[in-house]
Amino acid sequence: MTDSEPTGLIAKKGIELLTFGTPNGYKASILLEELKEAYGTEYTWQSISIMKNTQKEPWFTAVCPNGRIPAIVDHDRGDFAVFEGIAILSYLTRHYDPEHKLSFPIDSDDYSVCEQWMGWQHGGLGPMQGQANHMFKFAKEPNPYGAQRYVGETERLYGILDKRLSERDFVVGAGRGRFSIADISLLGWCSMCIFSGVDIELFPHVKAWIARCQERPAVKRGFAIPNEAFFNNEPLLKKLEEEPEAKQKFDESRKYLQECKDKYGYKYSSP
């Protein structure tokens, strides 16, 4: 928790989180804040600037061979390191959520359902929305096919999630469900869907679920570590309201996206 650029691990006990303000990064910080609230689990974090390629430094790749955030080191379990967001969620709840406040007993069907939705996020919604971000926002040259292809696939996946949440408050659990790592795995991505070209108004159940999750104090704190991304829905919408130039650029990008869709005959469709 320092402003200087990290050069190595700093903690001697507890969980040490190496993260940045990205959809995957927020998975770990939100869960750690929830565990802290539920059990008093303490942790230390360091901001790993992906803008400066700190995640490529040898000391970091010794923790995460893939050179990506987030990663954790459990100093209370022999400095055991874990990388990949989905693995971090599973590891932390397996060892630090004994009452299954944020997870499910391993012999329950909900455990399997939770695994399925986390796998769906890890292999589907996250990668597709990540490609949508790149093709729609960051590609060095315009790529109309890539923009409509990946934004369209992201919309299809949001349609699936919207249907899942049509009669539920949370993704997994009996009845209307309960907040768990299944929700946490999705929340960082869904909370920035507007930036990715997704019209959240098309998915009212997802929109209501995001608001429901963001009411949780631990979720709010998790989204502030190491800092809240400017492209998350709420700060982005606020910026559009306050800055006419930003609103103009946003409208132009939406017009471009629609032109990309029209060019290739894209029509939204989701089960």
Side-chain angles (χ1 to χ4, degrees):
M1 293 177 284
T2 175
D3 293 331
S4 61
E5 196 63 24
T7 57
L9 300 174
I10 59 174
K12 299 297 182 182
K13 62 180 181 178
I15 303 294
E16 183 166 351
L17 169 64
L18 309 172
T19 192
F20 201 59
T22 71
N24 286 327
Y26 292 134
K27 293 177 186 177
S29 57
I30 289 173
L31 177 55
L32 283 165
E33 283 296 325
E34 288 282 354
L35 290 173
K36 184 176 181 179
E37 184 166 300
Y39 300 102
T41 306
E42 294 293 339
Y43 72 99
T44 302
W45 60 264
Q46 293 198 74
S47 178
I48 306 300
S49 176
I50 61 175
M51 319 304 286
K52 299 179 181 178
N53 276 335
T54 306
Q55 77 280 10
K56 304 298 184 183
E57 294 293 325
W59 74 268
F60 185 90
T61 57
V63 175
C64 173
N66 196 36
R68 296 287 190 275
I69 60 92
I72 63 169
V73 176
D74 189 344
H75 295 292
D76 291 342
R77 298 190 70 253
D79 297 328
F80 189 78
V82 186
F83 65 97
E84 290 295 331
I86 190 172
I88 292 171
L89 297 181
S90 296
Y91 176 88
L92 288 174
T93 49
R94 184 162 58 250
H95 292 285
Y96 296 99
D97 184 24
E99 299 175 23
H100 301 293
K101 294 181 179 181
L102 299 156
S103 58
F104 302 93
I106 194 169
D107 58 351
S108 69
D109 287 344
D110 280 332
Y111 182 92
S112 177
V113 176
C114 184
E115 276 191 322
Q116 293 168 53
W117 282 100
M118 289 172 65
W120 178 82
Q121 180 281 313
H122 189 74
L125 188 139
M128 292 301 103
Q129 190 170 337
Q131 291 297 326
N133 291 345
H134 179 77
M135 293 296 182
F136 179 45
K137 291 290 187 179
F138 299 122
K140 294 182 179 179
E141 297 178 1
N143 189 322
Y145 179 80
Q148 62 86 35
R149 168 69 178 87
Y150 286 107
V151 174
E153 177 62 7
T154 302
E155 290 177 341
R156 184 188 74 83
L157 293 166
Y158 271 75
I160 293 170
L161 182 60
D162 198 67
K163 183 177 180 180
R164 175 68 176 175
L165 292 166
S166 62
E167 296 181 352
R168 304 178 60 86
D169 293 327
F170 300 103
V171 176
V172 180
R176 297 193 64 86
R178 63 179 176 85
F179 185 79
S180 73
I181 53 176
D183 302 283
I184 294 173
S185 71
L186 288 156
L187 195 52
W189 288 101
C190 295
S191 294
M192 61 161 291
C193 64
I194 295 174
F195 179 84
S196 305
V198 175
D199 183 357
I200 191 60
E201 300 303 328
L202 296 176
F203 309 104
H205 304 298
V206 174
K207 181 180 179 180
W209 164 80
I210 293 172
R212 194 176 301 122
C213 292
Q214 290 181 335
E215 289 175 355
R216 299 176 65 90
V219 169
K220 292 180 181 178
R221 293 194 300 270
F223 266 124
I225 296 172
N227 57 333
E228 186 175 14
F230 75 92
F231 45 72
N232 280 3
N233 293 344
E234 290 185 7
L236 176 58
L237 289 173
K238 183 178 180 181
K239 183 176 182 179
L240 296 180
E241 290 178 358
E242 297 176 348
E243 300 180 19
E245 184 177 346
K247 179 64 165 59
Q248 181 180 354
K249 290 182 179 180
F250 178 81
D251 291 341
E252 289 173 353
S253 69
R254 284 303 177 92
K255 180 181 178 182
Y256 165 72
L257 179 59
Q258 187 58 54
E259 290 172 350
C260 295
K261 291 179 176 180
D262 292 343
K263 180 176 181 178
Y264 291 97
Y266 166 84
K267 301 292 182 183
Y268 168 74
S269 177
S270 185

